[in-house]
Amino acid sequence: YHHTFFEMLGNWSLGDPQYPEKGYYTDEAIIWAWELLTEVWKLSKERLWATVYRTDDESLNIWKNKTDINPAHVLKFDEKDNFWEMGETGPCGPCSEIHINIGDDFNNPKWVNAGVEECIEIWNLVFIQFNRDNNGTLHDLPAKHVDTGMGFERVVAVLQNKSSNYDTDVFTPLIGAISNLAELKTRNEKQTVAVQVIADHIRTLTFAIADGATPGNEGRGYV
């Protein structure tokens, strides 16, 4: 479920201190995310988990009081998992991740943020409310905003009931074409992995070249 190139879905709310009514923040971001996942896409509520930053009681209360998620499925984590920052300084803030457990043991909190394939993050709701200065001190931003990021390929796999992104219609046409070119009517495990890698890289190159990148044998072109 990791790729060289992946498509990021999401939504932004850019806060404006002069016109606060034009933006939205934690309430709407969480409620709308839950609505999309469970009411529009009909994902199983019992398989969904939410995580929040360890001091972010506001988001914790929104999840528990303004959605019908199982309250036991809302967990707190530290900076590594639930605090977003672009670098050592600059805008940053707590985030609330949404995970789905597609395995048999879908009620196990130990699987969340554990790096297991059965329980993956599909959406990250970032609440950018601070600016970190050169001393590491956090200052409130005059305009707080929302930046969310959802993994397209992962969501497609969930919606199509596939355990692997490579089994979805995002990748199967590429994999079929590669197999035909390589004259692979059947594939062993090693060949399957190789075909998946080629499909992943071709997709990456296609988007990069379409976006203006020029392949070459040195420097950024080589990368």
Side-chain angles (χ1 to χ4, degrees):
Y1 54 92
H2 289 287
H3 299 287
T4 310
F5 163 86
F6 69 97
E7 294 188 70
M8 182 77 81
L9 309 176
N11 54 296
W12 280 81
S13 174
L14 300 175
D16 188 333
Q18 288 187 296
Y19 305 100
E21 71 279 359
K22 290 185 177 181
Y24 59 87
Y25 202 51
T26 47
D27 266 72
E28 295 87 349
I30 291 173
I31 293 169
W32 291 343
W34 187 249
E35 177 185 354
L36 175 63
L37 295 175
T38 63
E39 295 183 26
V40 179
W41 289 344
K42 308 295 184 183
L43 299 188
S44 170
K45 296 177 182 179
E46 64 183 359
R47 292 183 177 275
L48 292 171
W49 293 75
T51 64
V52 300
Y53 183 53
R54 56 182 167 81
T55 62
D56 188 6
D57 291 330
E58 178 185 2
S59 294
L60 181 74
N61 290 329
I62 293 170
W63 277 113
K64 290 188 174 183
N65 300 319
K66 296 187 178 182
T67 77
D68 60 353
I69 191 174
N70 180 349
H73 282 205
V74 185
L75 307 174
K76 287 186 174 183
F77 283 87
D78 293 328
E79 284 83 353
K80 176 180 177 293
D81 296 297
N82 281 93
F83 195 91
W84 182 91
E85 49 195 356
M86 64 171 59
E88 294 183 0
T89 61
C92 56
C95 60
S96 181
E97 297 177 340
I98 303 170
H99 304 248
I100 188 165
N101 188 324
I102 60 173
D104 295 331
D105 192 9
F106 55 81
N107 213 30
N108 188 348
K110 293 182 179 180
W111 280 24
V112 180
N113 276 332
V116 296
E117 294 183 3
E118 291 84 0
C119 188
I120 58 172
E121 174 197 342
I122 55 174
W123 204 350
N124 189 12
L125 316 177
V126 180
F127 310 122
I128 303 176
Q129 61 192 60
F130 302 116
N131 183 60
R132 191 191 302 275
D133 65 22
N134 291 326
N135 296 319
T137 304
L138 297 177
H139 304 276
D140 283 334
L141 287 170
K144 300 177 181 180
H145 55 281
V146 172
D147 169 17
T148 86
M150 174 192 287
F152 168 70
E153 298 85 358
R154 296 183 182 188
V155 168
V156 170
V158 171
L159 293 176
Q160 295 182 2
N161 294 313
K162 305 296 185 181
S163 59
S164 167
N165 296 358
Y166 291 107
D167 294 331
T168 68
D169 59 11
V170 175
F171 281 98
T172 50
L174 274 173
I175 289 173
I178 295 164
S179 298
N180 288 335
L181 287 169
E183 299 181 350
L184 295 174
K185 293 182 179 180
T186 60
R187 300 190 304 268
N188 59 36
E189 184 177 353
K190 185 176 181 180
Q191 290 169 330
T192 296
V193 172
V195 169
Q196 290 174 346
V197 170
I198 294 169
D200 176 68
H201 287 187
I202 286 176
R203 187 165 174 260
T204 304
L205 285 167
T206 301
F207 275 89
I209 293 169
D211 206 35
T214 303
N217 60 358
E218 59 182 21
R220 59 190 295 177
Y222 181 77
V223 175

